[in-house]
Amino acid sequence: MVFLFKFPKIGETSSGGIVIRWFKQEGDVVCSDEPLLEVSTDKIATELPSPVSGKLVTILAKEGKEVGVSEVLAYIETSAEIQDVSDSKSVCPKSQDQDIQKLSEVKTLKSSSRKGISAWFSPAVLSLAERSGIDLEELRGLVGTGIDGRITRKDVESYLLSKEEQVSSGSSDGAPVVDENRIPLSPLRRAIASSLVKASDEVPHASLVVDVDVTGMVNLIAEEKERFMEAHGVKLTVTSFIVQCLTKALQQFPLLNGSMEGDTIVVKKSINVGIAVNLNKEGVVIPVIRNCQERGLVSIAKALADLSARARANKLDLSEVKDGSVTLTNFGMTGALIGMPIIHYPEIAILGIGTIQKRVMVKEDDSLAIRKMMYITLTFDHRVIDGIYGSEFLTALKNRIESVTIS
């Protein structure tokens, strides 16, 4: 009669996540495969569907709580016997799901009319509240001006403005004003922090930097970008070329293409390059371009454009952010010259790309020339490889980048 809805294992290395929000309340009717809550792991924010149809009777994992794999999130009342979510194969008939959904919508409307305010918040409202450090309890306390008393983005902005004015003018009760702003970590940022701490604690990091002449590559992009866009519908970018060159270099130096499992080095046959995508203040997600060893420049460029766009729109599937074998982060897009990135655990290496700048360089004949230069950083797990292996890899990568062609 009661279904134990447990947190599933998400990906190979997932140890849990953080509950961002529930789409249903206790007492609501839910149907099989209907999104029930949103969680954040160290990889991505994703929705968990209800495995069965029934009534959500008890929510055990409140919003903002960290949960582990197999931890019970909620109880769902069904007509079946008590069962484990991992063993469940319950599928509701389509007509039954539709009836349950209608009942749920009616119940939600009745609940909203009784309370005078809807408990549902739009993604825009939730995103603004999260960035501004407003928790859900504080958000529910606002007075909404939308339809049926719903809280709008404008309501949140007005509330934030009033808080700023109160701080600048002093509190109304005469108490001293604290000259600070406390911003709690968002669920995604907390998940990222947990992953970074794990990587820093368990992996002995070492970094090497090489200076790369990208004049030829930049000139080639300028010459071919319009033709490339017309022919293939995507931009020709520096990152696309680097992924292609990285793939070929990893085929020469396979120890960098893998992960650590205990005392075992797992060398991947497929080269799956993770691309760090910035979500502004929200954090970073790492979608994966799979099987790069089988792709040409056009295929890489298309995959890069597609994954980056869907990452920023929060439309990635969980399968698209796991099983990476090496990660690439381009902090040069912000103007940074050199960075020492932290390895994306449990991978063995991460590549950091700096900004491109014009510099006066000494040529082999001792003449001077203005060249477009870029620093590339390799951070690696020193348990797996030594500095000489990393240096040889960077030299091979440098040589490939400095002689790129469209192929």
Side-chain angles (χ1 to χ4, degrees), residues 167 176-182:
V167 170
V177 177
V178 179
D179 186 20
E180 63 183 14
N181 183 23
R182 294 178 177 267

Side-chain angles (χ1 to χ4, degrees), residues 75-93:
Y75 297 144
I76 301 174
E77 189 177 77
T78 69
S79 59
E81 296 181 354
I82 296 178
Q83 51 190 318
D84 188 292
V85 63
S86 59
D87 298 328
S88 171
K89 297 181 180 180
S90 174
V91 178
C92 296

Side-chain angles (χ1 to χ4, degrees), residues 87-105:
D87 298 328
S88 171
K89 297 181 180 180
S90 174
V91 178
C92 296
K94 185 175 181 180
S95 58
Q96 183 181 351
D97 280 352
Q98 291 173 342
D99 291 340
I100 290 175
Q101 180 64 28
K102 289 178 181 179
L103 287 172
S104 177
E105 291 172 354

Side-chain angles (χ1 to χ4, degrees), residues 164-177:
E164 291 176 3
E165 291 176 347
Q166 183 176 341
V167 170
S168 62
S169 61
S171 60
S172 58
D173 58 3
V177 177

